[in-house]
Structures are given as structure tokens and as C-alpha cells.
Amino acid sequence: MNIKRLHSISGITLSLFIALHLCNHFYSIFGAEEHLRLMKDLRLFYRNIVVETILLLSVGIQVTSGLLLFRKKRKTAITKFEKLHIYSGLYLAIFLIIHLTAVLGGRIYLHLDTNFYFGAAGLNSFPLNLFFVPYYGLAIISVFGHIASVHNNKMKKIIFGLTPKRQAKFILVTGVCLTMVIFYGLTNHLHGITIPKEYNILIGK
């Protein structure tokens, strides 16, 4: 099995988790408690030794194969979608390394529940949010950008009058809109977001 095939399989596997994860974050528009309730239900599926092992292996394969493919294709990428494909993949590889390290560190060394408040702590604290907003925002947009570029490359059919290129653009715009909605949910103080004191260690308090 070649690197490209392994990259595709690990990518599809991670996409299933990412879809659930983003749906969970989308649910934050209904408040922190609703987000936590849904997360508790979803964790019955992915927070177990079997699924977590598969996800960790998929991350390892995705990052390693992605970096190798980036090195191979960065000089041959010509179109905007080809460049979007390789550079969104590069950002996602870097993000996965940092994010996974942070989550595992939070769970193992800080003994924190890496839930809604684990992400919201930095997003709701100035000046840390100057880093975390683009850090998380680019990650979500890169996911949709990566999917959009693959779609543009593989899709050959016109759907609802949209060419493959326009379909890909629609996917990318959807990702941008979802990013804004998720940030609204994670930072909306109308819901009375109060970060529990045990998470203050994440923001230096």
C-alpha cells in the first residue's frame, strides 16, 4: 500500500471523528451545558481504548504521510486548489501535533477534563485569544479547505447546477461560516460562560 493510499484511509478515519467533534462544538451555540451534555453522549463512542487507539494511529499516519506528500508535491502545485490542498494539509499536520500534545498533556499531567472549558479558556482570555482564535479558526477552515480541494480534484459531475469547482468553493465557504458560528458559541457571554477555576492554569492564573 503506497503513502497516498495510507493518507486517504487515515484521513477518512479522522474525518469521521472531526465531523462529530465539530458538531459538538457547533452545539455550543445552545450553551456550555448543552455542549457538555452532547460531549458526554459522544464520548461513549470515541472515549474508549479501541477507538482512541485507532484515532491515535490515524493521526500518526496522517501527519507522517502528509508531510512526505507535502515535500513531494509543493513544487508541482500550480492551481489555487492544488496549493490549498498541500498548504491546508501542512497546517493540519502542525495543528494535530500541537493539539494532540496539549490534550494528552491536559488529561495526563494536569488531570483536567479536556471538555468545553479546555478550549474556551484561551478563547475567552485576552491576550491569549489573539493566538487561539487564528489557531483554532485556521484549523477548521483548513479541514474544509482540504476537503474542498480533494472534492474539486475527484468530482466530475455537476450537482444542482454547480460545477465541481463551484461545489468546492461552496464547501470552503461553509467551513468559514461554521467557524464563525462555533466561535460565537465558544465565546458568547450571553450564555454566561464562566471558566471553572481549575482551568485557570491554562491561562496563567
Side-chain angles (χ1 to χ4, degrees), residues 79 81-82 147-156 164-166 168:
T79 68
F81 274 110
E82 287 175 341
I147 294 172
S149 58
V150 172
H151 182 89
N152 179 69
N153 181 49
K154 294 186 177 296
M155 177 58 68
K156 306 300 180 184
K165 182 173 287 187
R166 289 190 175 182

Side-chain angles (χ1 to χ4, degrees), residues 129-140:
N129 52 8
L130 297 179
F131 166 78
F132 282 107
V133 168
Y135 167 72
Y136 284 122
L138 284 174
I140 300 173

